[in-house]
């Protein structure tokens, strides 16, 4: 990847949502956003979502705040 070769951090769209939620940039319910993405055909595993919750220290309760 070009970004990594330039020493840039790379994050996927789900990670960006978790980062924005943790920083208070977005207030929307992440579970609803994730559900909407899935309904529109975006595919990712529950395991990925759980790992992002752990990585960004976002609890189920915080996802809905």
């Amino acid at each position: 990847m070009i970004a990594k070769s330039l020493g840039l951090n790379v994050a996927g769209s789900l990670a960006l949502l978790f980062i924005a939620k943790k920083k208070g940039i977005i207030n929307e319910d992440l579970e609803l956003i994730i559900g909407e993405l899935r309904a529109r055909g975006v595919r990712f595993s529950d395991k990925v979502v759980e790992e992002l919750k752990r990585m960004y220290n976002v609890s189920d309760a915080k996802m809905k705040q």
Side-chain angles (χ1 to χ4, degrees):
M1 292 175 81
I2 294 171
K4 282 193 173 191
S5 71
L6 295 172
L8 300 172
N9 292 330
V10 179
S13 54
L14 279 180
L16 293 175
L17 288 172
F18 276 85
I19 292 166
K21 182 70 172 184
K22 185 170 175 102
K23 290 186 174 193
I25 296 169
I26 60 172
N27 295 318
E28 288 83 0
D29 181 335
L30 281 183
E31 288 191 12
L32 289 176
I33 294 171
I34 290 168
E36 183 65 27
L37 288 170
R38 285 182 165 153
R40 293 175 184 256
V42 178
R43 298 173 68 180
F44 43 84
S45 71
D46 291 334
K47 191 173 183 177
V48 168
V49 174
E50 292 303 316
E51 181 63 15
L52 287 168
K53 285 181 190 178
R54 187 194 63 74
M55 285 175 60
Y56 294 103
N57 196 27
V58 175
S59 66
D60 289 333
K62 285 183 183 178
M63 284 184 66
K64 295 184 180 201
Q65 291 178 341

